[in-house]
């Protein structure tokens, strides 16, 4: 009898230890983990560099609040601004909190109140980020949502234009929709979207909660497109399992987030930012990102060659964020894969979502492709 609300459809697996891309359950069964904690453990489980830095910080100070200067916070913020087009950072605890912060910042800076997001998007489960999410299944049962969000069609610039008026503060987008089915944005659409925003005094918010921190072979996925967002939201892989989120904004936005305008008790605490700095010191190395890109191409080629079943409709994605769209529901297949010692996710009812650690080996990619081919 559990005392936990049944908000999760849990698998029949209890993990007792983990290392790299391998999980071991309480029955000593090993699993090849291509979920990475839902795109969180980008450096794999129990990464030595991250572990060392967190323990080092743990021995010094855990928490002091943002009334104090926090050196690890300054270091992490500098690393984020050095590897993005942003200039300032606000730290929080999750992707949903990051998107809430981005929404507040956009509305505060522009003085406008509408946000355009996209059908099949996912931005979180707080009330604001849930309202920004363009999926009915996320909204069901909660009554009226916040009235300030309207949903355009992904990759359709005319649908965005039809929603633009003088009260639109920002357009909020994932350049690869994750939870909604692993749909990459079209480069022509992204350039047109940025131009539309600039022409109408609208901020461009890119939600990089799942796509950031090396997942696609770039530090952030927007770098695949010829754009320069006003606000970027990061989380998931930023702490490699330690809760942290970040809102990264351009210089012009600084005055909108002055003292008292926003806050977070735990946001940017010494442990979280020590973890984030350790993660970025590994992931943002050019040779590391190149390896992610190469492994992504290699894995895509393997999957294209091996997944010849008529059940497979399309294989898509960037880097090590891959979706296998199928002609039917994939839930039973995911169960069968777990029985075979392989862990994957869904992205909607018909898409198998693969998010292996960025440190995955070619042998592990080959093993994964073989299991997927066998099950499919």
């Amino acid at each position: 009898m559990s005392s936990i609300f049944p908000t999760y459809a849990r698998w029949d697996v209890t993990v007792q230890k983990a290392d790299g891309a391998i999980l071991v359950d309480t029955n000593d069964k090993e699993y090849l983990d291509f979920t990475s904690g839902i795109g969180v453990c980008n450096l794999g489980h129990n990464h030595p560099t991250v572990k060392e830095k967190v323990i080092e910080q743990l021995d010094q100070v855990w928490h002091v609040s943002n009334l104090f200067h926090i050196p690890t916070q300054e270091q992490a913020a500098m690393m984020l601004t050095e590897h993005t087009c942003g200039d300032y950072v606000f730290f929080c605890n999750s992707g949903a909190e990051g998107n809430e912060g981005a929404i507040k910042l956009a509305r505060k800076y522009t003085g406008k109140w509408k946000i355009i997001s996209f059908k099949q998007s996912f931005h979180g489960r707080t009330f604001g980020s849930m309202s920004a999410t363009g999926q009915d299944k996320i909204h069901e049962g909660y009554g009226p949502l916040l009235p300030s969000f309207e949903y355009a069609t992904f990759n359709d610039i005319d649908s965005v234009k039809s929603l633009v008026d003088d009260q639109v503060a920002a357009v909020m987008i994932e350049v690869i929709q994750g939870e909604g089915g692993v749909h990459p944005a079209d480069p022509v659409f992204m350039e047109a979207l940025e131009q539309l925003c600039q022409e109408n005094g609208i901020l461009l918010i890119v939600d990089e909660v799942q796509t950031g921190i090396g997942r696609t072979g770039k530090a952030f996925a927007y770098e695949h497109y010829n754009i320069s967002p006003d606000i970027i939201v990061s989380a998931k892989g930023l702490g490699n399992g330690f809760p942290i989120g970040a809102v990264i904004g351009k210089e012009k936005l600084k005055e909108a987030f002055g003292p008292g305008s926003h806050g977070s008790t735990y946001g940017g605490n010494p442990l979280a930012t020590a973890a984030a700095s350790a993660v970025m010191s590994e992931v943002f190395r050019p040779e590391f990102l190149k390896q992610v890109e190469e492994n992504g191409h290699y894995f895509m080629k393997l999957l294209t060659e091996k997944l010849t079943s008529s059940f497979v409709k399309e294989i898509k994605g960037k880097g090590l964020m891959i979706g296998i769209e199928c002609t039917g529901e994939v839930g039973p297949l995911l169960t069968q894969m777990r029985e075979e010692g392989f862990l994957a996710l869904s992205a909607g009812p018909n898409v198998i979502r693969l998010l292996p650690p960025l440190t995955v080996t070619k042998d592990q990619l080959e093993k994964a492709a073989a299991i997927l081919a066998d099950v499919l």
Side-chain angles (χ1 to χ4, degrees), residues 73-151:
Q73 192 178 108
E74 293 288 351
Q75 181 184 11
M78 187 174 296
M79 295 173 85
L80 283 168
T81 57
E82 285 175 351
H83 291 91
T84 65
C85 57
D87 301 292
Y88 290 94
V89 179
F90 173 85
F91 286 111
C92 51
N93 305 289
S94 69
E97 283 187 34
N99 283 326
E100 290 278 356
I103 291 163
K104 286 180 66 175
L105 178 56
R107 290 178 58 154
K108 186 96 169 2
Y109 173 76
T110 62
K112 303 174 185 179
W113 59 275
K114 288 186 183 178
I115 308 285
I116 297 172
S117 59
F118 292 85
K119 296 170 186 175
Q120 295 306 117
S121 62
F122 183 83
H123 298 291
R125 293 184 183 271
T126 55
F127 220 80
S129 61
M130 179 177 73
S131 297
T133 294
Q135 297 189 55
D136 289 341
K137 69 177 184 181
I138 305 298
H139 302 160
E140 287 172 2
Y142 292 102
L145 301 174
L146 298 184
S148 51
F149 295 90
E150 296 182 321
Y151 313 115

Side-chain angles (χ1 to χ4, degrees), residues 22-23 47 71 83 116 122 186 213 268 271 293 324 327 363 370:
I22 303 297
L23 296 181
H47 191 275
H83 291 91
I116 297 172
F122 183 83
D186 178 73
I213 316 299
L271 291 177
E293 191 173 31
I324 303 168
T327 58
D363 284 346

Side-chain angles (χ1 to χ4, degrees), residues 136-204:
D136 289 341
K137 69 177 184 181
I138 305 298
H139 302 160
E140 287 172 2
Y142 292 102
L145 301 174
L146 298 184
S148 51
F149 295 90
E150 296 182 321
Y151 313 115
T153 301
F154 195 63
N155 281 333
D156 182 347
I157 194 63
D158 289 333
S159 77
V160 184
K161 289 178 180 178
S162 71
L163 298 175
V164 170
D165 61 27
D166 61 5
Q167 285 304 314
V168 175
V171 173
M172 190 173 196
I173 190 168
E174 303 156 277
V175 294
I176 304 174
Q177 288 188 330
E179 199 82 20
V182 191
H183 302 301
D186 178 73
V188 175
F189 166 74
M190 286 306 304
E191 290 187 35
L193 181 63
E194 182 180 54
Q195 183 177 353
L196 178 67
C197 288
Q198 290 174 348
E199 288 172 352
N200 289 275
I202 296 168
L203 297 181
L204 180 58

Side-chain angles (χ1 to χ4, degrees), residues 80 83-84 208 212-213 218-223 232 234 248 284:
L80 283 168
H83 291 91
T84 65
E208 292 261 12
I213 316 299
K218 301 284 188 185
F220 290 89
Y222 80 84
E223 296 175 72
I232 303 155
S234 180
I248 309 157
F284 290 165

Side-chain angles (χ1 to χ4, degrees), residues 244-277:
I244 186 170
V247 181
I248 309 157
K250 287 188 171 176
E251 166 78 34
K252 64 185 179 183
L253 306 175
K254 179 185 176 184
E255 296 308 315
F257 256 15
S261 59
H262 195 40
S264 171
T265 297
Y266 297 111
N269 77 77
L271 291 177
T273 45
S277 295

Side-chain angles (χ1 to χ4, degrees), residues 296-308:
H297 288 309
Y298 180 70
F299 195 33
M300 189 71 83
K301 182 172 180 289
L302 272 178
L303 295 174
T304 303
E305 290 172 353
K306 289 182 177 294
L307 304 189
T308 56

Side-chain angles (χ1 to χ4, degrees), residues 274-317:
S277 295
V279 168
M280 289 186 282
S281 69
E282 295 287 316
V283 171
F284 290 165
R285 291 184 292 114
E287 59 270 26
F288 184 95
L289 292 170
K290 183 180 179 183
Q291 186 68 53
V292 173
E293 191 173 31
E294 289 175 356
N295 280 345
H297 288 309
Y298 180 70
F299 195 33
M300 189 71 83
K301 182 172 180 289
L302 272 178
L303 295 174
T304 303
E305 290 172 353
K306 289 182 177 294
L307 304 189
T308 56
S309 166
S310 59
F311 190 66
V312 175
K313 183 178 177 181
E314 183 184 3
I315 304 170
K316 54 194 174 177

